[in-house]
Amino acid sequence: DTGVSQNPRHKITKRGQNVTFRCDPISEHNRLYWYRQTLGQGPEFLTYFQNEAQLEKSRLLSDRFSAERPKGSFSTLEIQRTEQGDSAMYLCASSLALGQGGYGYTFGSGTRLTVV
Amino acid sequence: AQTVTQSQPEMSVQEAETVTLSCTYDTSESDYYLFWYKQPPSRQMILVIRQEAYKQQNATENRFSVNFQKAAKSFSLKISDSQLGDAAMYFCAYRRAHTDSSYKLIFGSGTRLLVRP
């Protein structure tokens, strides 16, 4: 297992287009998180899954954002009708549940989105 | 709502010297976890050290140690014998400890550490 994998690493899109990012977590991790990080800031929580269930969504996640985790494995984050304000690094992380000894995350390298 | 504040946007240290990065947080809960993460340029974020709030003893990981002051809600990171590879953004983060919580991390805005050769 090589850790948390995110694709693509970089995405440039025109305003108004839809984009989709993929995250492959560590295989035995049942929790998966999406964060957004803008330049010079710390990551901000967007949403999280336990297995295939999306259990929490931030108010940052507008109606244009949707995330899925079919079968509790990889996850996708889609942004519809992109806006320039969506330009950011999108980070994925995975972890075990507390009862399984988990307390820390493993982060992916992120997908950098630029909306022009 | 919990908040994390890092008041030092940038710090500089001479190689082999010691530097301390500051972090304060606000919470009404008594049980939680605190973390320091390192984010090198264009590379993934990695965990440096963690502290459980119920433990009075400060965590230590090799050259990295914390000064956890629960009453003051302060959680600073000390890096001893600084190395060029320590240059990165450092983020302080908070997480609730309740087993029914999402385990989401609340991050500070980060401190950029420069290491001078």
Side-chain angles (χ1 to χ4, degrees):
Chain A
D1 198 334
T2 56
V4 178
S5 176
Q6 290 190 248
N7 289 288
R9 291 292 305 273
H10 303 274
K11 178 71 177 179
I12 300 174
T13 190
K14 291 183 178 179
R15 188 178 51 173
Q17 297 294 304
N18 299 344
V19 294
T20 301
F21 312 139
R22 177 179 170 124
C23 172
D24 288 271
I26 292 175
S27 57
E28 61 266 30
H29 285 185
N30 54 2
R31 292 193 173 210
L32 185 147
Y33 306 80
W34 286 99
Y35 284 78
R36 181 172 69 187
Q37 185 178 19
T38 54
L39 202 61
Q41 297 298 315
E44 297 173 293
F45 171 78
L46 291 179
T47 189
Y48 111 95
F49 293 83
Q50 179 155 321
N51 300 313
E52 67 276 8
Q54 187 175 19
L55 298 184
E56 186 172 345
K57 293 194 293 186
S58 163
R59 284 172 289 181
L60 292 175
L61 214 65
S62 75
D63 292 344
R64 298 184 296 105
F65 288 70
S66 63
E68 294 183 342
R69 192 184 182 196
K71 302 178 183 178
S73 56
F74 70 92
S75 176
T76 58
L77 178 68
E78 180 183 17
I79 309 174
Q80 296 182 328
R81 304 179 305 281
T82 52
E83 302 172 355
Q84 287 188 321
D86 297 330
S87 295
M89 176 76 84
Y90 290 84
L91 297 172
C92 177
S94 67
S95 76
L96 290 169
L98 185 65
Q100 297 169 323
Y103 51 79
Y105 289 12
T106 300
F107 280 90
S109 297
T111 294
R112 182 168 297 282
L113 173 66
T114 303
V115 181
V116 297
Chain B
Q2 297 88 8
T3 59
V4 177
T5 301
Q6 293 179 251
S7 59
Q8 305 157 317
E10 186 173 287
M11 292 285 285
S12 180
V13 63
Q14 190 75 33
E15 194 176 5
E17 297 294 309
T18 296
V19 65
T20 298
L21 308 184
S22 301
C23 173
T24 58
Y25 59 95
D26 188 26
T27 183
S28 58
E29 302 190 347
S30 60
D31 197 13
Y32 47 86
Y33 293 91
L34 295 166
F35 304 85
W36 279 98
Y37 280 88
K38 171 185 178 182
Q39 188 177 41
S42 302
R43 294 180 60 186
Q44 68 189 100
M45 195 169 304
I46 58 174
L47 178 66
V48 174
I49 198 166
R50 81 178 194 280
Q51 175 80 42
E52 292 93 337
Y54 63 86
K55 289 186 177 179
Q56 292 184 335
Q57 185 173 7
N58 289 325
T60 299
E61 290 286 343
N62 300 314
R63 298 183 295 106
F64 299 87
S65 61
V66 299
N67 183 4
F68 173 49
Q69 301 290 326
K70 191 172 184 179
K73 295 179 182 176
S74 171
F75 182 61
S76 61
L77 174 69
K78 186 171 80 171
I79 306 174
S80 303
D81 185 25
S82 297
Q83 301 175 358
L84 294 178
D86 294 334
M89 283 291 291
Y90 285 82
F91 292 97
C92 178
Y94 167 100
R95 202 202 80 196
R96 296 180 67 202
H98 293 266
T99 55
D100 63 347
S101 72
S102 68
Y103 299 175
K104 67 185 178 188
L105 291 171
I106 299 170
F107 286 89
S109 56
T111 296
R112 181 177 303 281
L113 178 65
L114 306 174
V115 181
R116 304 187 304 273

